[in-house]
């Protein structure tokens, strides 16, 4: 399951950060998960429960922001919003050449006590 490996890697990063400052646990975690990252948040939340038990993240408040997907058209260079990875340009129907935002999955901030 994709989401379980994501939760595991978040935990790994959190453990390193907590160790770095000799902290005890994470109070707040801010995640950025793009709308076209392919990550399903309900699945991630489900995996989270299992993964974070007895960890530094067990009782952390989780804040998730979901940046919209934007891409640049390969045909007309128009910048358009995409909600699915295979969406085509709204102006000319062409494929995108580059995705600008929406695929990120990162930890923006950790508040450690
Ligand atoms: Zn176009």
């Amino acid at each position: 399951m994709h989401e379980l490996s994501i939760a595991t890697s978040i935990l790994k990063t959190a453990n390193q950060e907590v160790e770095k400052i000799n902290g005890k646990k994470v109070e707040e975690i801010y995640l950025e998960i793009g709308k076209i990252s392919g990550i399903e948040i309900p699945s991630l939340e489900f995996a989270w429960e299992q993964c974070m038990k007895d960890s530094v993240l067990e009782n952390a408040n989780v804040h998730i922001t979901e940046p919209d997907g934007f891409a640049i058209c390969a045909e007309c260079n128009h910048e358009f919003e995409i909600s699915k990875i295979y969406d085509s340009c709204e102006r000319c129907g062409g494929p995108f050449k580059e995705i600008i935002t929406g695929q990120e999955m990162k930890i923006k901030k950790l508040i450690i006590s």
Side-chain angles (χ1 to χ4, degrees), residues 72-78 80 88-95:
I72 297 175
C73 176
E75 302 293 331
C76 72
N77 277 322
H78 179 56
F80 61 101
S88 48
C89 175
E90 61 188 358
R91 188 186 279 173
C92 74

PDB file of all heavy atoms in Angstrom, residues 72-78 80 88-95, ligand 1:
ATOM      1  N   ILE A  72       1.668  23.291 -17.679  1.00  0.00           N
ATOM      2  CA  ILE A  72       1.876  24.148 -18.859  1.00  0.00           C
ATOM      3  C   ILE A  72       1.647  23.300 -20.104  1.00  0.00           C
ATOM      4  O   ILE A  72       2.178  22.185 -20.220  1.00  0.00           O
ATOM      5  CB  ILE A  72       3.305  24.739 -18.876  1.00  0.00           C
ATOM      6  CG1 ILE A  72       3.518  25.635 -17.655  1.00  0.00           C
ATOM      7  CG2 ILE A  72       3.545  25.537 -20.160  1.00  0.00           C
ATOM      8  CD1 ILE A  72       4.927  26.163 -17.532  1.00  0.00           C
ATOM      9  N   CYS A  73       0.857  23.845 -21.013  1.00  0.00           N
ATOM     10  CA  CYS A  73       0.522  23.130 -22.247  1.00  0.00           C
ATOM     11  C   CYS A  73       1.740  23.038 -23.169  1.00  0.00           C
ATOM     12  O   CYS A  73       2.471  24.008 -23.359  1.00  0.00           O
ATOM     13  CB  CYS A  73      -0.620  23.840 -22.955  1.00  0.00           C
ATOM     14  SG  CYS A  73      -1.047  23.106 -24.531  1.00  0.00           S
ATOM     15  N   ALA A  74       1.918  21.858 -23.770  1.00  0.00           N
ATOM     16  CA  ALA A  74       3.029  21.648 -24.697  1.00  0.00           C
ATOM     17  C   ALA A  74       2.785  22.331 -26.037  1.00  0.00           C
ATOM     18  O   ALA A  74       3.720  22.635 -26.772  1.00  0.00           O
ATOM     19  CB  ALA A  74       3.248  20.150 -24.908  1.00  0.00           C
ATOM     20  N   GLU A  75       1.515  22.570 -26.361  1.00  0.00           N
ATOM     21  CA  GLU A  75       1.170  23.140 -27.672  1.00  0.00           C
ATOM     22  C   GLU A  75       1.143  24.661 -27.644  1.00  0.00           C
ATOM     23  O   GLU A  75       1.665  25.317 -28.532  1.00  0.00           O
ATOM     24  CB  GLU A  75      -0.215  22.636 -28.119  1.00  0.00           C
ATOM     25  CG  GLU A  75      -0.341  21.120 -28.207  1.00  0.00           C
ATOM     26  CD  GLU A  75       0.514  20.522 -29.329  1.00  0.00           C
ATOM     27  OE1 GLU A  75       0.753  21.223 -30.330  1.00  0.00           O
ATOM     28  OE2 GLU A  75       0.947  19.362 -29.183  1.00  0.00           O
ATOM     29  N   CYS A  76       0.465  25.240 -26.638  1.00  0.00           N
ATOM     30  CA  CYS A  76       0.239  26.693 -26.679  1.00  0.00           C
ATOM     31  C   CYS A  76       0.818  27.431 -25.464  1.00  0.00           C
ATOM     32  O   CYS A  76       0.608  28.626 -25.313  1.00  0.00           O
ATOM     33  CB  CYS A  76      -1.257  26.975 -26.816  1.00  0.00           C
ATOM     34  SG  CYS A  76      -2.215  26.629 -25.330  1.00  0.00           S
ATOM     35  N   ASN A  77       1.517  26.709 -24.604  1.00  0.00           N
ATOM     36  CA  ASN A  77       2.148  27.301 -23.413  1.00  0.00           C
ATOM     37  C   ASN A  77       1.180  27.902 -22.403  1.00  0.00           C
ATOM     38  O   ASN A  77       1.586  28.625 -21.497  1.00  0.00           O
ATOM     39  CB  ASN A  77       3.175  28.373 -23.799  1.00  0.00           C
ATOM     40  CG  ASN A  77       4.509  27.735 -24.148  1.00  0.00           C
ATOM     41  OD1 ASN A  77       4.909  26.755 -23.507  1.00  0.00           O
ATOM     42  ND2 ASN A  77       5.174  28.261 -25.144  1.00  0.00           N
ATOM     43  N   HIS A  78      -0.100  27.629 -22.583  1.00  0.00           N
ATOM     44  CA  HIS A  78      -1.100  28.101 -21.641  1.00  0.00           C
ATOM     45  C   HIS A  78      -0.930  27.363 -20.311  1.00  0.00           C
ATOM     46  O   HIS A  78      -0.623  26.178 -20.277  1.00  0.00           O
ATOM     47  CB  HIS A  78      -2.496  27.826 -22.244  1.00  0.00           C
ATOM     48  CG  HIS A  78      -3.630  28.241 -21.364  1.00  0.00           C
ATOM     49  ND1 HIS A  78      -3.771  29.517 -20.881  1.00  0.00           N
ATOM     50  CD2 HIS A  78      -4.687  27.525 -20.893  1.00  0.00           C
ATOM     51  CE1 HIS A  78      -4.873  29.572 -20.137  1.00  0.00           C
ATOM     52  NE2 HIS A  78      -5.442  28.384 -20.126  1.00  0.00           N
ATOM     53  N   PHE A  80      -2.681  25.884 -17.184  1.00  0.00           N
ATOM     54  CA  PHE A  80      -4.048  25.458 -16.870  1.00  0.00           C
ATOM     55  C   PHE A  80      -4.099  24.541 -15.659  1.00  0.00           C
ATOM     56  O   PHE A  80      -3.125  23.883 -15.305  1.00  0.00           O
ATOM     57  CB  PHE A  80      -4.697  24.788 -18.093  1.00  0.00           C
ATOM     58  CG  PHE A  80      -3.993  23.535 -18.574  1.00  0.00           C
ATOM     59  CD1 PHE A  80      -4.495  22.277 -18.254  1.00  0.00           C
ATOM     60  CD2 PHE A  80      -2.859  23.623 -19.360  1.00  0.00           C
ATOM     61  CE1 PHE A  80      -3.854  21.119 -18.702  1.00  0.00           C
ATOM     62  CE2 PHE A  80      -2.211  22.472 -19.815  1.00  0.00           C
ATOM     63  CZ  PHE A  80      -2.713  21.224 -19.487  1.00  0.00           C
ATOM     64  N   SER A  88      -6.108  17.418 -20.330  1.00  0.00           N
ATOM     65  CA  SER A  88      -5.423  18.153 -21.384  1.00  0.00           C
ATOM     66  C   SER A  88      -5.762  19.640 -21.288  1.00  0.00           C
ATOM     67  O   SER A  88      -6.646  20.043 -20.535  1.00  0.00           O
ATOM     68  CB  SER A  88      -5.784  17.585 -22.758  1.00  0.00           C
ATOM     69  OG  SER A  88      -7.176  17.427 -22.874  1.00  0.00           O
ATOM     70  N   CYS A  89      -5.078  20.425 -22.071  1.00  0.00           N
ATOM     71  CA  CYS A  89      -5.194  21.882 -22.043  1.00  0.00           C
ATOM     72  C   CYS A  89      -6.630  22.323 -22.288  1.00  0.00           C
ATOM     73  O   CYS A  89      -7.278  21.880 -23.230  1.00  0.00           O
ATOM     74  CB  CYS A  89      -4.264  22.469 -23.096  1.00  0.00           C
ATOM     75  SG  CYS A  89      -4.412  24.256 -23.267  1.00  0.00           S
ATOM     76  N   GLU A  90      -7.096  23.242 -21.438  1.00  0.00           N
ATOM     77  CA  GLU A  90      -8.480  23.721 -21.574  1.00  0.00           C
ATOM     78  C   GLU A  90      -8.639  24.618 -22.808  1.00  0.00           C
ATOM     79  O   GLU A  90      -9.728  24.810 -23.320  1.00  0.00           O
ATOM     80  CB  GLU A  90      -8.897  24.487 -20.314  1.00  0.00           C
ATOM     81  CG  GLU A  90      -8.010  25.700 -20.087  1.00  0.00           C
ATOM     82  CD  GLU A  90      -8.250  26.392 -18.754  1.00  0.00           C
ATOM     83  OE1 GLU A  90      -9.123  25.967 -18.004  1.00  0.00           O
ATOM     84  OE2 GLU A  90      -7.520  27.364 -18.480  1.00  0.00           O
ATOM     85  N   ARG A  91      -7.545  25.177 -23.288  1.00  0.00           N
ATOM     86  CA  ARG A  91      -7.615  26.113 -24.404  1.00  0.00           C
ATOM     87  C   ARG A  91      -7.534  25.396 -25.758  1.00  0.00           C
ATOM     88  O   ARG A  91      -8.310  25.655 -26.651  1.00  0.00           O
ATOM     89  CB  ARG A  91      -6.496  27.153 -24.289  1.00  0.00           C
ATOM     90  CG  ARG A  91      -6.615  28.272 -25.311  1.00  0.00           C
ATOM     91  CD  ARG A  91      -5.415  29.193 -25.265  1.00  0.00           C
ATOM     92  NE  ARG A  91      -5.512  30.168 -24.197  1.00  0.00           N
ATOM     93  CZ  ARG A  91      -4.521  30.999 -23.869  1.00  0.00           C
ATOM     94  NH1 ARG A  91      -3.372  30.924 -24.508  1.00  0.00           N
ATOM     95  NH2 ARG A  91      -4.660  31.857 -22.888  1.00  0.00           N
ATOM     96  N   CYS A  92      -6.551  24.479 -25.892  1.00  0.00           N
ATOM     97  CA  CYS A  92      -6.351  23.861 -27.211  1.00  0.00           C
ATOM     98  C   CYS A  92      -6.447  22.336 -27.182  1.00  0.00           C
ATOM     99  O   CYS A  92      -6.364  21.692 -28.218  1.00  0.00           O
ATOM    100  CB  CYS A  92      -5.001  24.279 -27.780  1.00  0.00           C
ATOM    101  SG  CYS A  92      -3.606  23.467 -26.979  1.00  0.00           S
ATOM    102  N   GLY A  93      -6.605  21.765 -26.013  1.00  0.00           N
ATOM    103  CA  GLY A  93      -6.741  20.308 -25.927  1.00  0.00           C
ATOM    104  C   GLY A  93      -5.420  19.555 -25.993  1.00  0.00           C
ATOM    105  O   GLY A  93      -5.399  18.329 -26.047  1.00  0.00           O
ATOM    106  N   GLY A  94      -4.329  20.292 -26.002  1.00  0.00           N
ATOM    107  CA  GLY A  94      -3.018  19.652 -26.079  1.00  0.00           C
ATOM    108  C   GLY A  94      -2.596  19.043 -24.752  1.00  0.00           C
ATOM    109  O   GLY A  94      -3.205  19.309 -23.714  1.00  0.00           O
ATOM    110  N   PRO A  95      -1.566  18.199 -24.792  1.00  0.00           N
ATOM    111  CA  PRO A  95      -1.050  17.600 -23.562  1.00  0.00           C
ATOM    112  C   PRO A  95      -0.162  18.597 -22.811  1.00  0.00           C
ATOM    113  O   PRO A  95       0.321  19.560 -23.404  1.00  0.00           O
ATOM    114  CB  PRO A  95      -0.216  16.432 -24.072  1.00  0.00           C
ATOM    115  CG  PRO A  95       0.252  16.872 -25.424  1.00  0.00           C
ATOM    116  CD  PRO A  95      -0.817  17.771 -25.985  1.00  0.00           C
TER     117      PRO A  95
HETATM  118 ZN1  LIG B   1      -2.900  24.466 -25.030  1.00  0.00          ZN
END
